[in-house]
Amino acid sequence: MKTPPTVPKSRQHVILAVVMLCSLLMWLENTVLSTTLETLADPVRGLGADPGELQWTTGSYTLTFATLMFTAGAWGDRFGHRTVFSTGLLVFAGSSLWAAYASDAGQLIAARAAMGVGSALITPASLAILMWTFTGPARAAAIGIFSTSAGVGMAAGPVLAGFLLDHFWWGSVFLINVPVAVLALVGIAVLVPDFRSHTPRPLDPAGMLLSVSGLAALVYGLIRAGQVAAWSRPDVWAPVMAGLVLLFVFVRVELRTEAPSFDPRLLAQRTFGGGNASLGLLLFAVAAITFSHAFYLQGALGLSPMNAGLANIPTALGALAGALVAPRLVRRLSLRLVTVPALAVAALTMGGYGFLGLHTPLSWIEILLLVQGLSVGMVIGPVTAALISKLPLDRAGAASAVTNTVRQTGSVIGIAVGGTITSLAYRRAIEPALASAPGPVQDQARVSAEQARHVAAALHQPTLARAADGAFIHALHVGAGWIAVVALLGAVVLLLALPADAGGEQHGLTRQPDGEEVRTSA
């Protein structure tokens, strides 16, 4: 492969800022929407969307996002990562404008699906651009900083949504994306070379079709599982099974293809396959505990969306600090000695939710969130950098797409499984308090703690509201235990995947002979 174009040192940090801004924008959009759902359900202030429509407002984005990432990564290797990234920004900005002025829930769902397409084009190209732009420890530091956009976006999203909804109409949470996307588009066009593989590869239409259809069926089934909180329904298990079968066929086809868009043999490698599996388990746990945490702060503790967002700021600060300190620790110790204990600590913080209650001081919750963000930030960046550094630059798009697809799928599974466990535990705990309640009240209270509090307020039954709070706390404790086990399993997988003597030099994380370039870039 030819030598990749050299990016001037003065432009590297600006490129990182632009790429991170786009990633932050997508994470902000997800958390902003979760805060806006209540307004969208209002027939006066919003669109009067019913619960099913609200679920697909989120689900349509996740479906297209997770489904198309792998194909988008292969396109970037073939046609150029700047080209694919810019196309994604255009799609994201246009669909955000459409969403802002949607006249009904159906239009909003379609616009959100289009936003997912834009995000799928942007995400794998982002990591690929960073791989081409930076080298050595500067690359690890850049990817670490880039990975904090998730934590920052999840923490800042509710605060931004609260401000916009207090001062403007609901469409403003989508409209704000447009000027930011246009600014990022200009930055990408001016600053970033059009990195791409110098060895043209066939498009592999069979592999792309199988990957898209398999992931679409799998993710659809997982989304339905999260919506209905049941796995025995045909509209849940049938698409999940079909997706797994199609993905199995995809692997078989790619193994026999002379120039596959992605070589499945890479997943058999201990570091690449095991590292991706551990990241998937970690994101499973993060998504599941974050889902429960939002209901804990706003439902059980009664915080407003903005105050709940402010309470999440320690998570973002911890993630940022972890991403900054982890590359330095890896260079002094090893990737294994830094990330495995950090992942174990993250698991313990998730298990710590089992000790939270209705009267837990907010300061204790903030400490828990700070440690959780710090430990997660010390894992995602270094492990991601090590995984994608294992592959040549001409496959950077496919490699980053695999890593991001695993992470996104892990998040979807985490919400689906975590939601199911929490719902089952809540229903069992609330049942004794409903023995003397009328049938319609029982049915509504069994749905969720939020529904129980609503009917309790309407009927002036504070006893039912207290019972719902107690049942939710019980469900939170049960879910926290299972989530901590999954995260600990991720730590064990990571321990087995990384070689015991794997220092930073084996993962592109130590200093290279060109010390001046490293010092300037890092």
Side-chain angles (χ1 to χ4, degrees):
M1 187 183 71
K2 298 180 181 178
T3 303
T6 302
V7 178
K9 300 168 187 176
S10 59
R11 291 166 56 183
Q12 290 179 344
H13 293 146
V14 184
I15 292 175
L16 173 60
V18 172
V19 172
M20 186 172 178
L21 176 65
C22 296
S23 177
L24 179 62
L25 183 64
M26 288 181 290
W27 282 103
L28 275 173
E29 189 54 44
N30 282 331
T31 51
V32 161
L33 179 66
S34 65
T35 308
T36 313
L37 292 178
E38 184 176 350
T39 302
L40 291 173
D42 192 303
V44 177
R45 297 185 299 131
L47 297 175
D50 60 41
E53 291 170 333
L54 292 177
Q55 289 172 336
W56 277 112
T57 299
T58 302
S60 62
Y61 176 93
T62 304
L63 181 64
T64 55
F65 183 29
T67 297
L68 295 175
M69 258 196 296
F70 181 80
T71 300
W75 284 347
D77 291 331
R78 166 89 182 202
F79 300 112
H81 298 295
R82 185 183 66 184
T83 300
V84 173
F85 193 103
S86 301
T87 303
L89 276 175
L90 287 173
V91 173
F92 190 83
S95 53
S96 295
L97 187 63
W98 180 14
Y101 293 99
S103 58
D104 55 51
Q107 288 189 22
L108 181 59
I109 291 171
R112 287 284 298 167
M115 291 173 68
V117 173
S119 297
L121 296 173
I122 292 170
T123 301
S126 300
L127 273 176
I129 288 173
L130 294 181
M131 284 185 65
W132 283 85
T133 302
F134 296 91
T135 59
R139 176 185 293 170
I143 292 175
I145 295 173
F146 172 79
S147 67
T148 63
S149 59
V152 174
M154 293 173 68
V159 180
L160 177 62
F163 174 80
L164 291 175
L165 294 176
D166 284 345
H167 295 82
F168 306 99
W169 97 112
W170 64 265
S172 61
V173 301
F174 300 108
L175 191 62
I176 195 173
N177 298 334
V178 178
V180 178
V182 171
L183 178 63
L185 184 62
V186 173
I188 288 294
V190 173
L191 297 170
V192 180
D194 199 11
F195 302 119
R196 71 180 71 192
S197 171
H198 295 291
T199 304
R201 299 176 182 272
L203 282 178
D204 187 19
M208 291 183 178
L209 179 61
L210 285 169
S211 68
V212 169
S213 56
L215 286 170
L218 175 63
V219 173
Y220 174 83
L222 295 174
I223 291 173
R224 286 297 295 157
Q227 291 174 344
V228 301
W231 291 82
S232 59
R233 294 176 43 150
D235 60 341
V236 173
W237 61 261
V240 169
M241 294 301 299
L244 292 175
V245 170
L246 288 170
L247 291 176
F248 175 78
V249 175
F250 163 70
V251 171
R252 300 292 297 176
V253 169
E254 294 298 278
L255 287 173
R256 299 178 181 181
T257 302
E258 183 177 352
S261 55
F262 176 74
D263 188 355
R265 295 178 186 86
L266 290 170
L267 294 176
Q269 295 180 6
R270 188 173 72 170
T271 300
F272 190 83
N276 273 300
S278 67
L279 284 180
L281 292 170
L282 172 60
L283 268 295
F284 172 105
V286 169
I289 203 66
T290 302
F291 181 79
S292 299
H293 178 68
F295 289 102
Y296 172 67
L297 290 181
Q298 297 187 45
L301 299 187
L303 299 182
S304 67
M306 180 171 289
N307 287 334
L310 293 173
N312 282 317
I313 288 179
T315 305
L317 296 178
L320 181 60
L324 292 175
V325 74
R328 299 173 181 267
L329 292 176
V330 170
R331 288 198 295 270
R332 292 189 177 187
L333 302 172
S334 72
L335 185 66
R336 192 187 198 192
L337 289 178
V338 173
T339 57
V340 173
L343 184 46
V345 171
L348 294 177
T349 63
M350 295 170 189
Y353 280 76
F355 299 95
L356 300 183
L358 296 174
H359 306 291
T360 302
L362 190 58
S363 58
W364 287 104
I365 300 174
E366 300 293 272
I367 293 173
L368 185 69
L369 294 178
L370 179 64
V371 177
Q372 181 177 304
L374 178 66
S375 54
V376 171
M378 292 179 66
V379 175
I380 293 180
V383 173
T384 302
L387 295 182
I388 62 178
S389 296
K390 286 286 183 181
L391 300 181
L393 286 177
D394 61 351
R395 309 308 297 273
S400 61
V402 170
T403 301
N404 280 290
T405 300
V406 169
R407 289 163 60 174
Q408 183 67 18
T409 305
S411 298
V412 174
I413 298 175
I415 293 175
V417 176
T420 300
I421 293 174
T422 303
S423 296
L424 292 175
Y426 165 78
R427 290 171 187 172
R428 290 177 181 176
I430 194 68
E431 200 62 39
L434 302 178
S436 59
V441 174
Q442 292 185 17
D443 294 337
Q444 190 170 357
R446 288 191 187 105
V447 174
S448 66
E450 287 68 32
Q451 292 288 338
R453 296 186 194 102
H454 177 76
V455 70
L459 299 177
H460 304 288
Q461 295 185 4
T463 304
L464 177 58
R466 287 194 295 270
D469 288 338
F472 173 81
I473 294 299
H474 169 74
L476 176 67
H477 293 171
V478 172
W482 284 102
I483 293 168
V485 170
V486 171
L488 283 175
L489 178 60
V492 173
V493 172
L494 190 60
L495 177 66
L496 298 175
L498 299 178
D501 58 346
E505 71 277 359
Q506 296 188 28
H507 303 288
L509 302 175
T510 57
R511 298 189 181 277
Q512 295 179 338
D514 188 358
E516 180 61 28
E517 177 184 355
V518 170
R519 284 192 297 272
T520 303
S521 300

